[in-house]
Every structure is written in structure tokens, then in C-alpha cells.
Amino acid sequence: EIVLTQSPGTLSLSPGERATLSCRASQSVSSRNLAWYQQKPGQAPRLLIYAASSRATGIPDRFSGGGSGTDFTLTISRLEPEDFAVYYCQQYGSSPYTFGQGTKLEIK
Amino acid sequence: EIQLVQSGAEVKKPGESLRISCKGSGYSFTTFWIGWVRQMPGKGLEWMGIIFPADSDTRYSPSFQGQVTISADKSISTAYLQWSSLKASDTAMYYCARHVYGTDWGQGTLVTVSS
């Protein structure tokens, strides 16, 4: 089973700043099969990025994903107030398709 | 419009059985995997398993294998998550999601298990 470790656990930033979230896998994720989700309180997760760097439909271009192998990042170029939420990575290259433990992005 | 509509909240006692559902619409139900995800109160997302409705090919996380059963009825575009004997520790929100990466999500079903 691939274990995903996200860092930091909590990230405190201000609107307008740049956010960089990390997701590290315990073994290589095949074919860059990694996704990122955003979850706000009381809501279902929303897909942001799939295939490590492809934006899902309707996702603003301030969200970008990168990386390969065991190291992946989600970057939010300029934080908007609605971006403060919890972010999860998920690998779907090898069953079980595990999630990271999440990074909480909070307003500083 | 693609939608996944889940069944309503449930309150059960330990030892009882339960089946919750997830009905897909707006797309070809048999051509996309449907996964189930658990979220315990105040915690993160846990991948439980996934089913391909066309042939019911099913994969489980080792953490949930033997604890739940995932099934699908393609004739009514509905996937199911089932327990034969609930425990208090099954109290959680359960989500279904379309595709191996969740392009679309159900609204969630809150399951509360309490004596």
C-alpha cells in the first residue's frame, strides 16, 4: 500500500500570497496518477487536479499541480478568500487508492 | 448534468445491518468506476473500495476488506455500500465518487451507530 504524507499539516497565509502544498509517496506513483482535492466544512471534496498536473473542469488557473515519482506539489499562485480549506492528495496508480492526511490552509 | 445522489442519513444500533446507496445520472453508469470514501468526524478521507458497474469488478482497501460489501445494480444505475453488523466505530460520513479519481461526488450519507 502506498502511504501519502502531506506537509505541512497546517499552512497559515494571507490572501494574495502564494501557497505550496507537498505530497510525498512511500513509493513511486505510476504514470503520475495523483489527484488533489479541496474540501470545505460541511461539503463533499471537490476535484482540483488529476494526472498530477491537469486541472479539472472549472478550476481556476491559479491552481497548478506538479511533480512525479514520489514528490508532488499543489501550488495556489495568489490566494483568494474562498481558497482557505483542507486539501488532500490521492494516488490512483496502485490499489488501494490511498489519500494523504490533508493540509489545512488557514487565514493568517 | 452529472449527479451522484446518495441515500439519507441513518441512525442504527450496534450489531444492526445497513445498506446505503448512490445513484448516478447524467452519464453512462457502466463505464466509470464508483468509489466509496469514509470520513470520520473531524478526520481525513479514507479510501474504502471501488466497483466497476459493467462487470462488478471490485477492489477493497485492506482496512475495509471483510468489514463492508460494495455492490452495484447497473439496471438502476446505483451503487451500494453494505454492513452486516455495524459498530460504533462505523459512525462517519460516507461519500461515493465517480471514476478512479473523484471527478464527481455524492452529497454524503451520515451514518450514526449508537446504542
Side-chain angles (χ1 to χ4, degrees), chain B residues 46-60:
Chain B
E46 298 176 89
W47 189 83
M48 302 177 71
I50 201 165
I51 188 165
F52 192 66
D55 60 6
S56 292
D57 182 10
T58 309
R59 321 272 171 87
Y60 291 93

Side-chain angles (χ1 to χ4, degrees), chain A residues 1 35 37 39 42-47 49-51 88 90 92 95-101, chain B residues 37 39 43-47 50 59-63 95 100-108:
Chain A
E1 174 174 325
Y37 303 90
Q39 189 180 32
Q43 296 184 16
R46 177 175 72 145
L47 177 68
I49 300 287
Y50 64 96
Y88 295 94
Q90 182 201 17
Y92 53 94
S95 181
Y97 299 154
T98 46
F99 287 94
Q101 83 280 15
Chain B
V37 175
Q39 188 165 40
K43 302 298 184 183
L45 305 175
E46 298 176 89
W47 189 83
I50 201 165
R59 321 272 171 87
Y60 291 93
S61 165
S63 299
Y95 293 102
V100 289
Y101 51 87
T103 52
D104 307 275
W105 292 68
Q107 81 277 18

Side-chain angles (χ1 to χ4, degrees), chain A residues 83-96:
Chain A
D83 297 337
F84 293 91
V86 180
Y87 292 83
Y88 295 94
C89 58
Q90 182 201 17
Q91 67 81 21
Y92 53 94
S94 171
S95 181

Side-chain angles (χ1 to χ4, degrees), chain A residues 2-40:
Chain A
I2 296 177
V3 176
L4 298 180
T5 302
Q6 293 186 240
S7 60
T10 302
L11 185 57
S12 300
L13 293 170
S14 300
E17 290 192 294
R18 180 185 186 90
T20 302
L21 287 65
S22 173
C23 177
R24 177 161 289 177
S26 60
Q27 54 188 281
S28 184
V29 176
S30 64
S31 304
R32 303 178 79 226
N33 288 326
L34 189 111
W36 289 92
Y37 303 90
Q38 176 193 71
Q39 189 180 32
K40 297 180 180 179

